[in-house]
Amino acid sequence: MNINCNGNLIDLSTPKVMGILNVTPNSFYDGGKHKEINSIIHQVDKMLSEGADFIDIGAYSSKPSAEFVSEEEEIKRLVPIVKSLVETFPNIILSVDTFRAQVAKASVENGVAIVNDIAAGLLDDKMLETVAQLKVPYIMMHMRGNPQTMQSLTDYNDIVKEMIFYFSERIQKARSFGISDIVIDPGFGFAKTLEQNYEVLHKMELFSILELPLLAGISRKSMIYKVLESSPQEALNGTSVLNTIALQKGAKILRVHDVKEAVECIKLVSKIK
């Protein structure tokens, strides 16, 4: 349950918090909110002070039917911000949310320590080879298709069984390239109906068979606000409820917009254990 980030071993036996930093104009919750570097630095400083262990930076919205962004534009959005954050916060552990090998490479070369890939290498056949060469931890998520098509690909016979098979194959492939530190992400909201998301959460402890750290990315998603008939802006309480369940089911990283509340979830659940 350790991952090596910038030469430091991070122990995931105690769950950690990954703060979300979207630098896209169209993310489902905070799109366009953090455009100026001063706003970005302020937000990252807030997340770190509240207890974030990692900051996950993304420049391509992966919400359903998200518009296409070129590789060049993604790099152009990311690299200057990565440089500024590493300069401002020398001890920061940055993750890059991308499914493109060249974006991952450019980000790591400028200070990123983790690659977070929604496609587990299936949308760029150079990704696994590149991550292996970069020698950084790799977060692989379950998804079908791409952000533009995924919500039409929700036909499963046994969703959790098929997900475990998917991860087994992708883990073996990643290991064959020499990737040693792997985290798995069930991909809530990706190629899954609302009911399927809750089935996956209900059975999430079954992923322990893979013997790898588990990341839960539930924060403010539609699986919360559609049930509550509200909105992403009103989904913080629901996020805390489902993060608590995810921790009880074995999650080792909570990927969230709201760091303080996630840290509190971890503290309280740890008291039960």
Side-chain angles (χ1 to χ4, degrees):
M1 286 296 165
N2 295 322
I3 57 173
N4 189 331
C5 299
N6 295 330
N8 297 311
L9 280 182
I10 308 299
D11 180 9
L12 299 181
S13 60
T14 299
K16 301 294 188 283
V17 175
M18 175 177 281
I20 299 169
L21 178 68
N22 288 316
V23 293
T24 57
N26 60 335
S27 291
F28 78 92
Y29 169 61
D30 54 1
K33 188 175 180 180
H34 306 299
K35 293 185 290 186
E36 303 297 328
I37 191 61
N38 287 339
S39 170
I40 290 167
I41 288 174
H42 175 76
Q43 175 65 7
V44 171
D45 185 52
K46 178 176 181 288
M47 289 194 288
L48 292 174
S49 66
E50 289 178 345
D53 302 282
F54 315 106
I55 302 295
D56 190 44
I57 179 169
Y60 186 143
S61 175
S62 55
K63 68 181 181 181
S65 303
E67 65 185 43
F68 177 82
V69 175
S70 71
E71 191 173 89
E72 293 74 17
E73 176 64 21
E74 192 177 354
I75 292 172
K76 182 181 175 183
R77 289 177 180 178
L78 279 171
V79 170
I81 294 169
V82 169
K83 287 181 176 179
S84 293
L85 292 178
V86 171
E87 182 179 343
T88 307
F89 308 101
N91 297 319
I92 195 170
I93 302 176
L94 287 174
S95 166
V96 63
D97 180 2
T98 187
F99 55 82
R100 290 165 165 158
Q102 285 304 308
V103 177
K105 185 173 186 291
S107 300
V108 172
E109 287 175 346
N110 284 283
V112 162
I114 303 169
V115 173
N116 180 12
D117 179 6
I118 61 170
L122 291 171
L123 290 180
D124 187 332
D125 59 11
K126 297 292 185 185
M127 178 60 97
L128 298 180
E129 177 185 356
T130 299
V131 172
Q133 291 170 350
L134 294 169
K135 293 181 170 57
V136 294
Y138 183 56
I139 302 169
M140 56 168 63
M141 194 187 78
H142 173 268
M143 182 177 70
R144 286 175 166 180
N146 58 47
Q148 290 75 33
T149 64
M150 62 185 180
Q151 289 312 106
S152 65
L153 302 171
T154 58
D155 184 22
Y156 302 90
N157 291 320
D158 184 328
I159 186 168
V160 173
K161 182 178 179 180
E162 291 175 49
M163 288 173 67
I164 290 172
F165 181 82
Y166 167 98
F167 280 124
S168 298
E169 188 276 330
R170 299 317 297 163
I171 292 164
Q172 187 279 327
K173 190 77 172 176
R175 297 286 194 217
S176 73
F177 280 98
I179 299 174
S180 55
D181 291 350
I182 300 173
V183 176
I184 59 173
D185 175 357
F188 292 104
F190 289 79
K192 297 168 188 70
T193 65
L194 188 148
E195 291 77 14
Q196 287 167 347
N197 283 316
Y198 280 95
E199 181 180 354
V200 171
L201 180 60
H202 176 60
K203 298 178 179 177
M204 206 168 76
E205 70 273 11
L206 296 178
F207 294 109
S208 64
I209 194 173
L210 298 168
E211 298 183 332
L212 289 173
L214 188 62
L215 180 149
I218 301 173
S219 182
R220 295 184 181 267
K221 286 186 173 178
S222 63
M223 65 182 286
I224 299 168
Y225 64 79
K226 284 184 177 178
V227 173
L228 301 178
E229 299 180 355
S230 58
S231 67
Q233 288 69 30
E234 299 170 288
L236 175 54
N237 184 56
T239 297
S240 293
V241 171
L242 296 193
N243 276 338
T244 299
I245 294 170
L247 290 168
Q248 293 175 322
K249 297 284 185 176
K252 296 302 181 184
I253 301 175
L254 299 179
R255 183 180 181 272
V256 298
H257 299 91
D258 309 279
V259 170
K260 177 177 178 287
E261 291 78 3
V263 169
E264 290 176 350
C265 285
I266 291 170
K267 286 182 178 178
L268 293 173
V269 171
S270 71
K271 287 295 184 184
I272 296 172
K273 291 181 179 179

